[in-house]
Amino acid sequence: PGAAAQFNLRSKDLPGGMDIRGINGSIKASLATAKSLMLAGQTLSNVDFVVGGTGEGGIAGTLGENILGANDIEYDLPDGLIRLFRPRDCGNANFAYWAGSKPYSVLQLESGGPTHWIIATVVLNGHKMRALFDTGAAGSYLTLQAAARLGVKPSSPGVTPAGSMGGLGNKLIETWIAPFDSLQIGD
């Protein structure tokens, strides 16, 4: 809300009383439209922003699927880069141009549905499960139900309490750290 006010963006109610939900709760939100947004040397027009939260850490906001989903994205986190692409007529081209002769992995993403979440099948301790790839998450998490399907519970040997976790909402969730033998992502 502070950044919206700073940039003179007027907010209005989200359609249908929508709110923002995270792993630990929800917050009331509104909608503001910026006339223009400059990103990577390109000007985008009439960009919608959901307004809500507290703006912790000096962050003015978050770029979401409505902006990032319009392009192909390469996250080169070790080099501190995010590259946006608009591929055209690529056919069966190898998009791992950066790999050279180094091995790389290909991950088939789920498609369709009402969102553009990045969801794929991974194999944890030999068991297939759907995973959400969340570039905004501070760590990797497993639901208690998914861990239980693998035979891991908070009382299992080697599992240690990790305290409470917070996030978008105002609810805290109790967490544990558990060892797993293997995680396979892609090929």
Side-chain angles (χ1 to χ4, degrees):
Q6 176 185 349
F7 297 115
N8 296 317
L9 299 177
R10 281 188 245 155
S11 297
K12 59 184 177 185
D13 289 339
L14 285 169
M18 291 172 45
D19 58 8
I20 302 172
R21 295 179 187 268
I23 192 168
N24 62 329
S26 63
I27 59 174
K28 180 76 175 132
S30 57
L31 180 70
T33 303
K35 290 180 185 174
S36 66
L37 171 70
M38 177 76 76
L39 176 66
Q42 301 295 313
T43 301
L44 306 175
S45 300
N46 299 316
V47 179
D48 288 334
F49 285 92
V50 176
V51 179
T54 61
E56 294 177 18
I59 306 280
T62 301
L63 298 181
E65 187 273 327
N66 65 320
I67 296 169
L68 300 177
N71 300 284
D72 277 355
I73 303 170
E74 175 185 324
Y75 294 95
D76 182 0
L77 302 181
D79 290 327
L81 297 170
I82 297 175
R83 295 177 184 92
L84 304 177
F85 295 92
R86 289 215 176 152
R88 290 191 178 91
D89 302 321
C90 298
N92 292 323
N94 175 2
F95 292 109
Y97 64 90
W98 44 262
S101 61
K102 294 185 246 174
Y104 64 92
S105 186
V106 174
L107 179 64
Q108 183 66 45
L109 303 178
E110 289 185 12
S111 60
T115 68
H116 292 285
W117 290 351
I118 303 170
I119 299 175
T121 299
V122 300
V123 181
L124 182 61
N125 277 11
H127 297 278
K128 288 185 177 182
M129 53 181 56
R130 293 176 70 221
L132 169 67
F133 290 75
D134 182 352
T135 60
S140 298
Y141 304 95
L142 195 61
T143 66
L144 286 172
Q145 295 83 1
R149 286 195 306 270
L150 298 175
V152 177
K153 298 181 180 174
S155 60
S156 296
V159 176
T160 58
S164 298
M165 176 179 74
L168 187 62
N170 56 9
K171 189 169 91 175
L172 293 177
I173 297 173
E174 192 172 357
T175 63
W176 296 264
I177 297 175
F180 291 89
D181 294 326
S182 65
L183 173 62
Q184 180 183 340
I185 301 174
D187 56 3

